[in-house]
Amino acid sequence: MAPWLDPGTVEITAGGAGTGPNTFSDAYVSSQLGLGDLSILTSAATGGGSEDLTVDLGAAVSWSVATALTLDGGNSIAVNGTIAGSNPGSGLNLISGGNIAINNNIT
């Protein structure tokens, strides 16, 4: 099973370091995918967050190895940035208890 994170609401931001337990930089997510599969969940939150998962506009998550990114939003997922796995074995799983909005490129 992949390592997983579930702080209630998650925001993946462009560049720099994450600013809290619910914010991760695109660089951090990309580097973790270089090490293995990664799951980020809001669907099992116990802290009362809105269970939304957002990839911010300008964020660019990318990786080049045969690993998978799973985004599991209990309420919704909004992909406003880009997500790109360049290896034929790269995978992306989007799971939501509500809406999934893809507003940018996924490759």
Side-chain angles (χ1 to χ4, degrees):
M1 175 191 258
W4 59 275
L5 308 165
D6 192 352
T9 298
V10 170
E11 183 177 10
I12 298 173
T13 62
T19 58
N22 62 341
T23 304
F24 304 97
S25 73
D26 53 0
Y28 175 79
V29 173
S30 297
S31 71
Q32 294 305 301
L33 286 162
L35 302 173
D37 294 341
L38 177 65
S39 296
I40 302 175
L41 297 85
T42 65
S43 60
T46 58
S50 64
E51 297 187 0
D52 296 324
L53 200 155
T54 304
V55 180
D56 285 349
L57 184 63
V61 175
S62 63
W63 68 105
S64 60
V65 296
T67 58
L69 172 62
T70 298
L71 301 178
D72 187 345
N75 183 49
S76 70
I77 296 173
V79 179
N80 300 315
T82 60
I83 299 176
S86 61
N87 186 293
S90 298
L92 174 65
N93 305 296
L94 301 176
I95 304 163
S96 177
N99 294 326
I100 298 175
I102 300 174
N103 303 312
N104 212 323
N105 295 329
I106 294 177
T107 57

